[in-house]
Amino acid sequence: MTWEPFVVLLPLFGAMLAMPVGRALGPRAAELLTTAFVLIAAILSWVLFFNVTPVFGGEAHARTIELFTWIGSGDFVATWSVRLDSLSAVMLIVVNSVSFLVHTYSMGYMKDYGEQSRFFAYLSLFTFAMLTLVTADNFLQLFFGWEGVGLASYLLIGFWFNKKSANDAAIKAFVVNRVGDFGFALGIMAIFYVFGTIQFDEVFQAVAANAVATPWRAAEGAPIQELTIHFLSWDFHALTVIGVLLFIGAMGKSAQFLLHTWLPDAMEGPTPVSALIHAATMVTAGVFLVCRCSVIYEYAPNAAAMVTLVGAVTAFFAATVGLLQDDIKKIVAYSTCSQLGYMFFAAGVGAYGAAMFHLFTHAFFKALLFLGSGAVIIGMHHEQDIKKMGGVKELMPFTHILMVIGTIAITGVGIPGLTLFGAPFGTAGFVSKDMILESAFFGGEAGKVFGYFAFTLGILAAVMTAFYSWRLIFLTFWGPSRAPEHIRKHPHAVPDTMMWPLVPLAIGALFAGIVFYGSFVGSNADRFWNGALYSAEASHEETASTADHLNAEEVTAMRDEHDVEEAHGEAADHAPADERAAEEEHGGGHHEIPGWVLWSPFLAMLIGTFSAGWHYLRGDPLKPGMLRPGGMIYAFLKNKWYFDEIYDFIFVKPAYAIGRFLWKDGDGKTIDGVGPDGIAAVVAAGARRIVKMQSGYVYHYAFVMLVGIALLVTFILVRAGSGQ
Amino acid sequence: MTLFETLSYAWPELALAIGAMVLLITGVFLGDKAAPQISLASVGLLIVCALLAAFSPGAGSTASIFDGAFRIDAFSTFAKVLIFGAAAFAILMSDKYLAGEKLGRFEYPVLILLAALGMSLMASATDLISLYMGIETQSLALYILAAFNRDSRRSTEAGLKYFVLGALSSCMLLYGASLVYGFTGSTLFTEIAKAASAGGDNAGLIIGLVFMISGLAFKVSAAPFHMWTPDVYEGSPTPVTAFFAAAPKLAGMALFTRALMMAFPGAVGDWQLVIAIIAVASMAIGAFSAIAQTNIKRLMAYSSIGHMGYALVGLAAGTSSGVSSVLIYMAIYIVMTVGTFAIILMMRRRGGMTENISDLAGLSRTNMPMALILTVLLFSLAGVPPTAGFFGKWYVFLAAVDADLIWLAVIGVAASAISAFYYLRVVWFMWFDEPAPAFERDHGPALAVAAWGSAILMFPLLTVGMGTLRQLAETAAASLF
């Protein structure tokens, strides 16, 4: 056995051992054991990352290690594999690194709560499931990991199972995810129906090559890109159906618009859980799925348009709701929701590299913000309402600095136009978010549906992102303290194990954008992704350029040149049309960037920041100008667009009513009454009657025997008579 | 065939007959003190006979001796091994009980040996005379066994009822046999079969057949000739009941099958419906009546009536697979019945035996292994997969469906669903009710072996080994055709 599978398996061992070890040697042993396992896994995944991807030059070593055949039934084969390509390598480092930091952080955070062994077992179980998901080589293993992380998420949200709100939130998360998972499962079935396989390579190659596919029991096949599925007298474009169904799964897991309601409630779980699962890793599984299936979305433009639309709306919607939240964790949660929207619309317009880039950088600064919030919560004696904070800067200066770093990362502080080592100069969020917004703009220019729409909403969301992020800082850390006397005087001590994991995250939040820009979306992107992300235009242009008898190296050289130029925003000269087409190859689809497009996210950030300062740094921070309580907007946003109420009215109440009716009248009165209860009553009556015949008198018994034989003889004679 | 060759095919019967006489005389000389030794000797004799039946030189072959009145084939071997085994357990399981009730007499094992001899004859009978002789040898021993506790009113009443009604059923059987002889001119099964399939108006023959069926149905306690069963089961000493429920049922069913398949193969269309009606009546009585019972022995009586109904479903199919399904069913039935009665015999408190279902309440807390065993056995009796009882039912219903008796299979499934209620009710008592006082635990090794053995056979041994059992049963069934 090779060593690579241990990247996935070590957290599983940790999860299995945590409880027994905790029982035998105490919770600290369980904590150290699981953390050590995840640390080894994290180190291994960084080794793998540099081995698998040509991140700073070097060779690509994408490979798939097949462990065993999981299910083999007729034509249906699902293997258990560790697929190592650039995409999964990126996810591996994100998952294992954040998981390790969160494990470490939790040693301090969970100190006072008890039941650490169970907590760490769940954390490691989650890590294992997430790793299974990202290293899957087929859709079923992906689905296994998908459900595994869902289970771990459920267990961790409801970790404090004595708390009703935690249990409700856990159930809500689980049920809302059912909706998405139902779509996902149907998507997988549709894939098997159309392709006869669920292996990634076979499916993706078939789509890319436009091979002829014959759905199960279909009379004749068709080239896959034109194939339709016949359903209820309609014909649907097969790839669109698959794309939409898979995306519905992604919507549930990544809390996108309409299926987002569970994510804010999930904050009932311990804060490290929010950082790991509901910010950095699990919720990004949907983005990963869309990127993994990039080839499908490339040939299903309508499905891609849906991804763009939903992503853009989520980015905007969640940001608006985030404006007025008072719970420090819920602000960050809505922020997560909004940032996931960015990733999705980037993927929707075909900028998968940009989506993955933002996923990568977001993991750093969002985990930082969550873990920092956790430190504040601990310091403030488990208080989460930022209206009751203020002035925490003096009590927790180090945390303040880290949170500000997280905030300048998420709001996207940087200098447009300036480049450093060939990458835009700015925080991680600046680099990746600008990339996404540019991609959306160019997507719109290239005719992608909802491209401009996504760009517009993205800019608006950027304003609000800056606003709510700084609002959090201002209300929590700045200004006079509104906390009760005893908390102000004696803030809870925050253990060191909770502080130092924030440092690497802060470094990542500041510099990950600059360092990895070239690989993820810049000049090295093609070599870096190594085919893991697909672009229809690229492969189309590839053939076109060959047809034009262009030298391959020449094309590459030109591209690189323009990339660098354009990424710097200095593309003053108009590139010839054919070269421009060639440039679209790169994940982001870089054209020359109009100045206003380049500057608008920066301006949006400035507007948001200053209006937050305007609102919360002058006078009474609890009575801000435009968003003061009582206004229409206030109620609308405060109630989160009334989504919970609408869902309650449309789904929950009728479901209750229907369930009640089916239970009381349908099941109780009708089915039980006529069925089990009714039959039971008849049986009991019959039993009593028959038992009465058992009188104990021999002559009764003999009589029954004689009557019996008389009846039998009569019967046989009548039958013989009628038969002849 | 020389005399010796002829007799070599009847080794088990000869050994039983001679052995029973020797043990009887020994007992007379030594008195009741020697009862335990005679019991052990009888068990040994039965084991030897089972081995002889299975492995003696003539056992593998098919042979008819005594001018065609007695036949050795795979079918009779299958039945005999099970009969001897069940009889051996009936003796082994009785020691504590009989000693406790002051019934430790040497006649008990001897009577069981004689009954086993009769049953052995029944399994091999291919002539109306040997058929009747086998039945009566068995029955006379059983009448006495039922009344074995002669100081108990219930026991003597049971014996008397059984005797009177048994005599009535013998009358029916004999009347039917005489009609059959009258219309065919022979007592040999093979000759009857020839005459019956010769055609012509055979209404008389059919009436004779119906009378014979009624007499045989009484022996296997199939409805509407079942009325004696609950009273006799309840009144007889429990080890005797255990014996009644197991070996004679198999012998009766073997004889039933052989008589119908060998003497009236051409008249399947005539007797199929009669058997089906008896099967339906038995399944219904078994399913409904048991619900109201509070005494576990009466419950088992109705249970065995129901089980005979299921077995008759397989016989009604009238095919080779039907016969093999009957044999599978009876083999499984015998094992689980012996096991269940072993548990019932363990239901002993300081004050003596208890027989009420409510005495089992909370057994899982007072005696976990016993509750576990009984649960497995009750699941098997109810036919819950994956116990062996499920497979027994599966094969008989399958045979019925293959013979186009789908309605019969449907009724059978419905009846087993209803009967599941009273088996599961006992399970409920054991696991979920407040505990009744605990039972004594010094029940001896024989009961423990019987209980554990049968439970393990029901699940998982026979579940896994169903293929082997099926193969044996199919070979046995094939020898009738």
Side-chain angles (χ1 to χ4, degrees):
Chain A
M1 191 157 166
T2 50
W3 58 274
E4 290 95 332
F6 283 100
V7 173
V8 177
L9 292 177
L10 277 171
L12 175 66
F13 298 154
M16 292 192 298
L17 291 174
M19 298 277 278
V21 166
R23 189 157 297 181
L25 303 171
R28 179 56 68 168
E31 292 171 3
L32 289 174
L33 178 93
T34 50
T35 311
F37 277 7
V38 177
L39 172 64
I40 299 171
I43 294 170
L44 288 181
S45 51
W46 279 97
V47 172
L48 268 180
F49 178 68
F50 288 111
N51 177 256
V52 168
T53 65
V55 58
F56 300 126
E59 285 301 306
H61 298 286
R63 55 190 180 272
T64 300
I65 297 149
E66 201 172 304
L67 297 180
F68 56 90
T69 301
W70 179 22
I71 297 171
S73 171
D75 293 340
F76 183 87
V77 178
T79 55
W80 203 276
S81 316
V82 179
R83 181 191 174 101
L84 297 167
D85 59 7
S86 304
L87 195 55
S88 57
V90 170
M91 293 303 286
L92 278 180
I93 52 169
V94 170
V95 173
N96 271 329
S97 310
V98 178
S99 177
F100 164 64
L101 294 175
V102 166
H103 270 78
T104 314
Y105 179 89
S106 305
M107 284 201 236
Y109 190 89
M110 298 304 289
K111 203 169 57 183
D112 299 339
Y113 291 105
E115 289 206 85
Q116 289 95 331
S117 312
R118 184 162 68 89
F119 183 78
F120 278 78
Y122 288 169
L123 273 190
S124 285
L125 176 70
F126 166 79
T127 311
F128 162 70
M130 190 69 201
L131 295 170
T132 313
L133 191 163
V134 300
T135 57
D137 191 34
N138 60 59
F139 282 98
L140 199 68
Q141 189 190 333
L142 183 77
F143 192 65
F144 174 90
W146 194 269
E147 295 301 311
V149 293
L151 168 72
S153 163
Y154 167 81
L155 292 171
L156 284 166
I157 295 170
F159 182 75
W160 290 312
F161 54 81
N162 291 325
K163 217 164 113 189
K164 182 172 186 312
S165 59
N167 273 331
D168 289 350
I171 291 169
K172 186 170 178 182
F174 207 75
V175 171
V176 174
N177 268 295
R178 273 334 68 207
V179 179
D181 292 353
F182 182 61
F184 190 20
L186 284 179
I188 296 173
M189 290 172 211
I191 286 168
F192 186 69
Y193 168 76
V194 170
F195 295 94
T197 175
I198 52 165
Q199 295 288 329
F200 285 156
D201 285 337
E202 294 171 27
V203 172
F204 296 157
Q205 272 160 22
V207 178
N210 199 14
V212 173
T214 312
W216 187 65
R217 285 200 172 166
E220 54 187 18
I224 198 79
Q225 291 167 18
E226 282 108 58
L227 185 74
T228 54
I229 298 179
H230 189 78
F231 180 71
L232 289 181
S233 82
W234 288 295
D235 285 309
F236 296 103
H237 182 229
L239 287 179
T240 305
V241 170
I242 291 170
V244 168
L245 288 172
L246 292 180
F247 180 60
I248 289 172
M251 279 169 72
K253 195 63 69 196
S254 295
Q256 291 300 287
F257 190 63
L258 300 179
L259 294 181
H260 64 275
T261 52
W262 66 272
L263 185 58
D265 288 21
M267 297 303 128
E268 287 291 340
T271 307
V273 173
S274 312
L276 175 62
I277 300 184
H278 306 120
T281 57
M282 184 187 85
V283 288
T284 61
V287 182
F288 168 77
L289 175 69
V290 172
C291 290
R292 177 59 93 199
C293 300
S294 49
V295 59
I296 292 177
Y297 288 96
E298 283 298 295
Y299 292 106
N302 291 336
M306 177 179 168
V307 176
T308 315
L309 175 67
V310 172
V313 171
T314 310
F316 177 77
F317 155 78
T320 60
V321 178
L323 293 177
L324 278 179
Q325 294 300 308
D326 292 331
D327 185 323
I328 188 168
K329 284 178 72 184
K330 289 215 168 154
I331 298 173
V332 190
Y334 276 107
S335 154
T336 306
C337 205
S338 168
Q339 299 298 314
L340 289 167
Y342 277 101
M343 299 175 206
F344 272 111
F345 75 69
V349 298
Y352 305 104
M356 286 305 294
F357 191 31
H358 196 55
L359 188 161
F360 180 73
T361 57
H362 174 256
F364 287 103
F365 56 73
K366 190 49 63 65
L368 174 64
L369 286 172
F370 259 122
L371 296 182
S373 307
V376 172
I377 292 168
I378 292 280
M380 292 290 103
H381 294 236
H382 307 290
E383 178 57 70
Q384 301 198 4
D385 189 343
I386 54 173
K387 289 202 165 151
K388 297 181 186 158
M389 294 180 185
V392 178
K393 190 165 63 173
E394 274 74 39
L395 303 175
M396 309 171 80
F398 188 51
T399 310
H400 170 239
I401 294 169
L402 292 169
M403 286 293 277
V404 169
I405 292 175
T407 304
I408 61 169
I410 192 174
T411 54
V413 173
I415 303 171
L418 180 64
T419 60
L420 192 72
F421 308 121
F425 180 78
T427 57
F430 171 78
V431 181
S432 58
K433 198 199 284 177
D434 282 15
M435 201 64 234
I436 284 179
L437 290 167
E438 284 162 23
S439 309
F441 178 77
F442 290 124
E445 213 167 50
K448 299 265 190 191
V449 191
F450 296 126
Y452 288 130
F453 176 74
F455 174 72
T456 316
L457 288 189
I459 295 291
L460 290 177
V463 176
M464 292 183 283
T465 306
F467 185 90
Y468 65 65
S469 301
W470 284 111
R471 173 175 175 264
L472 189 156
I473 296 292
F474 295 156
L475 282 179
T476 310
F477 289 97
W478 295 21
S481 178
R482 295 176 298 277
E485 181 76 16
H486 70 281
I487 294 182
R488 217 174 330 151
K489 288 273 167 61
H490 307 285
H492 205 292
V494 177
D496 284 348
T497 47
M498 281 176 65
M499 291 319 292
W500 77 257
L502 304 186
V503 176
L505 290 175
I507 295 170
L510 286 175
F511 304 115
I514 297 173
V515 174
F516 290 99
Y517 171 81
S519 297
F520 276 75
V521 286
S523 53
N524 195 27
D526 259 4
R527 288 192 55 229
F528 176 75
W529 291 115
N530 192 22
L533 298 177
Y534 184 85
S535 168
E537 286 154 23
S539 53
H540 176 71
E541 289 303 328
E542 205 79 54
T543 39
S545 2
T546 332
D548 289 348
H549 307 289
L550 274 168
N551 187 317
E553 280 94 343
E554 208 176 315
V555 175
T556 321
M558 277 197 293
R559 273 185 221 139
D560 287 352
E561 196 182 321
H562 282 282
D563 272 339
V564 175
E565 278 176 12
E566 284 149 21
H568 301 178
E570 292 166 353
D573 54 338
H574 294 273
D578 58 333
E579 282 180 27
R580 224 161 102 179
E583 283 147 17
E584 287 179 6
E585 262 181 61
H586 293 290
H590 312 183
H591 297 243
E592 71 272 42
I593 303 167
W596 65 274
V597 173
L598 187 69
W599 282 90
S600 50
F602 181 71
L603 287 175
M605 182 271 289
L606 285 183
I607 294 169
T609 309
F610 282 117
S611 57
W614 176 265
H615 273 85
Y616 295 103
L617 290 182
R618 298 174 320 128
D620 186 351
L622 296 184
K623 292 202 176 75
M626 269 166 63
L627 297 169
R628 70 171 67 246
M632 281 262 295
I633 301 180
Y634 180 85
F636 185 63
L637 295 183
K638 195 78 187 169
N639 286 300
K640 302 160 269 182
W641 292 28
Y642 295 104
F643 259 101
D644 280 335
E645 286 74 13
I646 294 170
Y647 281 2
D648 192 52
F649 181 74
I650 299 180
F651 299 116
V652 180
K653 289 244 168 65
Y656 259 120
I658 294 171
R660 235 190 140 64
F661 170 75
L662 289 179
W663 168 38
K664 290 278 187 195
D665 293 328
D667 191 53
K669 284 187 192 152
T670 314
I671 297 178
D672 279 356
V674 178
D677 289 352
I679 292 174
V682 172
V683 167
R688 275 194 299 277
R689 205 158 298 167
I690 294 177
V691 168
K692 243 180 222 165
M693 283 163 50
Q694 200 76 34
S695 59
Y697 295 116
V698 172
Y699 48 86
H700 281 168
Y701 294 1
F703 177 72
V704 170
M705 285 170 70
L706 291 175
V707 168
I709 196 165
L711 285 176
L712 283 178
V713 169
T714 313
F715 171 76
I716 204 92
L717 286 179
V718 167
R719 197 166 158 274
S722 64
Q724 280 160 9
Chain B
M1 252 193 262
T2 64
L3 177 66
F4 187 76
E5 272 175 336
T6 304
L7 291 182
S8 74
Y9 289 107
W11 273 124
E13 288 77 12
L14 288 174
L16 264 183
I18 297 167
M21 300 302 167
V22 170
L23 289 172
L24 185 60
I25 293 168
T26 316
V28 169
F29 277 106
L30 296 180
D32 285 338
K33 300 191 301 291
Q37 288 76 18
I38 290 179
S39 287
L40 275 183
S42 307
V43 171
L45 182 60
L46 282 166
I47 292 170
V48 168
C49 289
L51 291 174
L52 279 176
F55 300 113
S56 71
S61 57
T62 302
S64 270
I65 53 173
F66 304 136
D67 281 341
F70 189 91
R71 186 175 145 112
I72 310 292
D73 51 19
F75 183 84
S76 69
T77 308
F78 187 95
K80 280 176 198 175
V81 171
L82 283 173
I83 289 167
F84 296 150
F89 269 105
I91 298 174
L92 278 174
M93 291 184 344
S94 66
D95 52 353
K96 283 270 172 187
Y97 180 92
L98 294 181
E101 304 281 316
K102 306 205 169 27
L103 291 173
R105 303 214 179 82
F106 70 88
E107 288 97 337
Y108 178 80
V110 174
L111 281 167
I112 289 201
L113 287 181
L114 289 172
L117 172 62
M119 292 181 231
S120 181
L121 289 173
M122 285 162 74
S124 280
T126 46
D127 185 288
L128 292 179
I129 304 294
S130 58
L131 174 152
Y132 184 70
M133 200 176 79
I135 286 182
E136 285 308 294
T137 311
Q138 177 217 224
S139 297
L140 286 170
L142 295 187
Y143 300 147
I144 303 168
L145 279 172
F148 196 69
N149 190 359
R150 62 186 182 200
D151 297 327
S152 150
R153 269 189 62 184
R154 279 164 74 207
S155 182
T156 44
E157 184 190 326
L160 192 62
K161 268 185 192 163
Y162 192 20
F163 176 65
V164 172
L165 294 172
L168 181 63
S169 83
S170 287
C171 292
M172 290 179 185
L173 185 69
L174 275 180
Y175 182 55
S178 66
L179 278 175
V180 169
Y181 173 69
F183 279 88
T184 58
S186 173
T187 56
L188 273 177
F189 285 2
T190 46
E191 295 299 314
I192 295 169
K194 273 185 208 152
S197 53
D201 182 12
N202 54 3
L205 181 65
I206 298 301
I207 292 173
L209 175 61
V210 171
F211 271 92
M212 278 185 68
I213 287 175
S214 304
L216 290 169
F218 177 89
K219 296 297 171 197
V220 298
S221 69
F225 312 100
H226 66 283
M227 301 294 279
W228 59 277
T229 321
D231 292 5
V232 172
Y233 272 39
E234 191 187 355
S236 306
T238 312
V240 175
T241 313
F243 183 56
F244 278 4
K249 294 286 187 289
L250 175 73
M253 200 52 83
L255 179 59
F256 214 147
T257 308
R258 189 189 282 282
L260 287 176
M261 300 311 295
M262 289 186 75
F264 302 94
V268 173
D270 289 315
W271 55 258
Q272 187 172 53
L273 258 182
V274 178
I275 298 293
I277 290 168
I278 293 176
V280 168
S282 306
M283 290 189 293
I285 296 278
F288 284 98
S289 304
I291 289 175
Q293 302 307 322
T294 55
N295 180 299
I296 191 137
K297 281 163 77 181
R298 279 187 90 85
L299 180 90
M300 288 306 291
Y302 284 109
S303 161
S304 79
I305 294 169
H307 281 290
M308 289 310 113
Y310 299 120
L312 287 172
V313 169
L315 181 56
T319 57
S320 177
S321 67
V323 173
S324 81
S325 75
V326 173
L327 290 177
I328 294 171
Y329 198 92
M330 291 309 295
I332 292 168
Y333 166 78
I334 281 199
V335 176
M336 56 196 182
T337 304
V338 167
T340 310
F341 273 101
I343 294 287
I344 294 173
L345 283 164
M346 290 182 191
M347 291 170 58
R348 193 158 49 80
R349 298 222 176 89
R350 199 168 295 275
M353 297 300 296
T354 55
E355 294 180 352
N356 285 326
I357 294 170
S358 55
D359 292 321
L360 287 166
L363 186 64
S364 63
R365 271 178 276 176
T366 56
N367 192 340
M368 183 70 178
M370 192 170 156
L372 204 61
I373 292 169
L374 188 52
T375 303
V376 170
L377 291 172
L378 287 169
F379 275 154
S380 187
L381 283 166
V384 177
T387 57
F390 165 75
F391 291 98
K393 286 202 168 72
W394 168 258
Y395 287 125
V396 293
F397 294 151
L398 199 65
V401 169
D402 285 344
D404 282 335
L405 292 171
I406 295 169
W407 62 273
L408 187 58
V410 170
I411 292 175
V413 171
S416 55
I418 295 170
S419 61
F421 167 76
Y422 57 79
Y423 296 122
L424 297 182
R425 194 167 66 114
V426 180
V427 173
W428 186 88
F429 267 119
M430 289 192 298
W431 293 90
F432 300 112
D433 214 4
E434 285 305 307
F439 297 119
E440 304 266 295
R441 289 208 179 220
D442 58 335
H443 40 64
L447 287 181
V449 167
W452 275 111
S454 62
I456 292 170
L457 272 173
M458 285 306 107
F459 185 80
L461 269 191
L462 267 183
T463 313
V464 178
M466 194 50 69
T468 318
L469 178 62
R470 202 169 158 216
Q471 220 163 10
L472 288 172
E474 269 168 6
T475 316
S479 66
L480 288 192
F481 289 85

